[in-house]
Amino acid sequence: MLQTSAVPDTSSQVMDMKVLTVLALMGAFGLGVYAQGFLPELPYPGGYTFLRYEVRVPDKPPYSWVLEVLPKGDAYEVLVTFVREVSASEEFSLFGVFMGAGLLEEGMGMLPLAPLFSLWDKKIEVGRSYLLRERARLITEREDEVLGIPVVAGTYVHPSYPDQRAIVYIPRLPHRALLFFPPYLRVEEKDEGEYRLVEEIELVEFKHER
């Protein structure tokens, strides 16, 4: 289910192509990431699950991704909702909104995140440096917790994008089957010696019931 609300907001415009990295990866799971074997299959453990991620880019209203899994007898109903605000006074196309939901491929000089998901079914430890596909690397630094989910916080880098990095929280292995994306990821780019925000995504609501 794709939803968009038309409310007055003169600052909201069609999303710039350069800030679609995280959304593109999320949409690419069923297209490229999964097909390339980057995303291992982790069987869903059952029960009810609700996830809401908030996506933030500089000088833009936040966007939301919502995923809900509803048990229906011997089946599950999975609802995926994308929510963004569109100014009632701005001209926009439904196609443009749909593409903004994250169905574009990565590109436009952005840090590729797909190699990160080759670790999704692997146990990771603090204080390690993991070599990934495409010679990308994850350096784990400390333990933390997001909405009751234990995570390992680290920094992800790619040799083809030396001026970019991602701060990422990887959930501990027992929780990964309940999440389709890390609870927190922040893409940054170096500008005049300092890192600035490119895009940030955070899990802001989580519920799971067996």
Side-chain angles (χ1 to χ4, degrees):
M1 179 171 59
L2 180 69
Q3 295 182 346
T4 181
S5 55
V7 297
D9 182 2
T10 57
S11 65
S12 178
Q13 300 176 351
V14 176
M15 193 184 304
D16 185 271
M17 291 287 288
K18 193 175 181 181
V19 297
L20 281 174
T21 306
V22 173
L23 290 176
L25 178 60
M26 295 167 70
F29 280 173
L31 301 176
V33 177
Y34 184 84
Q36 296 174 43
F38 283 172
L39 184 63
E41 290 189 61
L42 295 176
Y44 182 67
Y48 168 83
T49 298
F50 180 87
L51 308 170
R52 183 169 73 88
Y53 289 85
E54 188 170 278
V55 182
R56 311 176 191 108
V57 297
D59 304 319
K60 301 280 186 179
Y63 304 83
S64 293
W65 273 87
V66 177
L67 185 145
E68 189 172 21
V69 181
L70 301 167
K72 297 287 186 179
D74 59 353
Y76 291 97
E77 184 176 75
V78 181
L79 307 177
V80 180
T81 306
F82 167 72
V83 182
R84 65 169 292 195
E85 294 182 351
V86 181
S87 172
S89 62
E90 109 179 47
E91 292 185 358
F92 68 95
S93 69
L94 293 181
F95 178 77
V97 172
F98 181 69
M99 295 303 285
L103 298 178
L104 296 177
E105 297 181 359
E106 296 176 19
M108 301 301 292
M110 292 302 301
L111 181 70
L113 301 177
L116 187 60
F117 287 86
S118 61
L119 284 175
W120 204 246
D121 64 344
K122 306 293 191 301
K123 182 179 179 179
I124 61 174
E125 300 175 357
V126 175
R128 297 282 301 275
S129 179
Y130 293 90
L131 182 63
L132 311 176
R133 301 183 187 215
E134 302 175 14
R135 296 185 296 113
R137 191 171 292 274
L138 173 69
I139 301 96
T140 58
E141 297 153 359
R142 60 186 173 84
E143 293 183 296
D144 209 324
E145 188 174 285
V146 177
L147 300 180
I149 302 170
V151 300
V152 174
T155 301
Y156 169 76
V157 294
H158 195 288
S160 298
Y161 300 83
D163 293 332
Q164 298 181 30
R165 69 181 183 184
I167 309 304
V168 59
Y169 290 4
I170 304 292
R172 287 296 190 181
L173 190 54
H175 286 80
R176 287 182 211 157
L178 295 172
L179 303 170
F180 65 95
F181 202 76
Y184 181 79
L185 189 142
R186 176 186 174 95
V187 180
E188 299 177 332
E189 185 172 39
K190 186 177 289 187
D191 183 17
E192 297 183 351
E194 296 185 0
Y195 281 98
R196 63 175 179 83
L197 173 66
V198 174
E199 193 164 25
E200 181 179 50
I201 184 166
E202 181 179 5
L203 181 67
V204 294
E205 289 186 57
F206 170 74
K207 186 176 183 179
H208 176 68
E209 299 176 349
R210 293 301 299 264

